[in-house]
Amino acid sequence: MRNIILKNNIEVTIREATKEDAQNMIDFYNVVGGETDFLSFGANEFKRDVREYEEYITATSNEQNSIMLLALIDSEIISIATINSSQKERTKHVGTLGIVISKKYTGLGLGKILMNDLIEGAKQNGVTKKISLVTNETNTVAIELYKKLGFEVEGLLKQDNFIRGSYSNTVVMGMLI
């Protein structure tokens, strides 16, 4: 656990998620799903059973090659940043990165801090050799950040999402570590 100061001088705590966070995480995802078109789900589409999600968080925290970070102001979640990895021998060296930040806290440096934390964790876990991520091709601010941090575009999934009545493409990016 550590505290950081955002560009707007607000103090944020970053820590690993625990099963006690399950309901708050589900609630957070259901709110932010309605704040942006850049996620794979919309408002109230993150439907998870709390007990199952508690088990998922516990299992993920026990995996050497996975990490689930929360950014909080007081006890309110403002971001969730994860690397989830398969436990299968053939693919356990690849972690899939996901990051979601509450709309009112974007543009304050939090994304870069969390991305660096995830990358550093992946470098140190002794298993991960590659980090992959996907994002909507119109998410240009995030794509530029990912490139600055060392990710490369690996491909384009055409008409992979249907958002607000039209299809959009998904950019696949990766980083070898």
Side-chain angles (χ1 to χ4, degrees), residues 6-100:
L6 298 181
K7 290 178 184 175
N8 62 357
N9 291 321
I10 292 179
E11 185 175 9
V12 174
T13 300
I14 298 174
R15 67 169 173 80
E16 289 197 40
T18 65
K19 71 177 186 174
E20 289 76 21
D21 297 309
Q23 185 63 61
N24 288 337
M25 291 172 71
I26 292 167
D27 294 345
F28 173 79
Y29 278 134
N30 279 313
V31 170
V32 294
E35 293 181 345
T36 179
D37 290 337
F38 298 143
L39 300 177
S40 61
F41 54 89
N44 298 312
E45 287 185 347
F46 192 80
K47 301 199 182 303
R48 298 291 190 279
D49 176 79
V50 176
R51 284 183 187 78
E52 288 176 13
Y53 205 65
E54 288 173 350
E55 291 171 15
Y56 168 74
I57 294 167
T58 300
T60 300
S61 69
N62 290 328
E63 296 170 358
Q64 182 180 354
N65 56 347
S66 296
I67 188 167
M68 193 176 285
L69 298 176
L70 302 180
L72 304 109
I73 296 176
D74 299 318
S75 60
E76 178 193 352
I77 297 173
I78 64 164
S79 179
I80 300 174
T82 61
I83 291 182
N84 290 307
S85 303
S86 170
Q87 299 309 297
K88 296 176 184 169
E89 198 60 39
R90 293 182 180 186
T91 56
K92 69 180 183 181
H93 67 285
V94 180
T96 302
L97 187 145
I99 186 166
V100 182

Side-chain angles (χ1 to χ4, degrees), residues 107-146:
L108 299 174
L110 182 58
K112 184 176 183 181
I113 290 166
L114 290 168
M115 291 287 296
N116 280 322
D117 285 357
L118 291 175
I119 292 166
E120 196 55 39
K123 287 179 177 178
Q124 292 179 5
N125 71 27
V127 178
T128 305
K129 303 296 179 208
K130 178 180 181 175
I131 303 171
S132 294
L133 64 85
V134 295
T135 191
N136 190 293
E137 74 175 343
T138 61
N139 195 359
T140 54
V141 172
I143 291 169
E144 287 308 308
L145 172 62
Y146 302 149

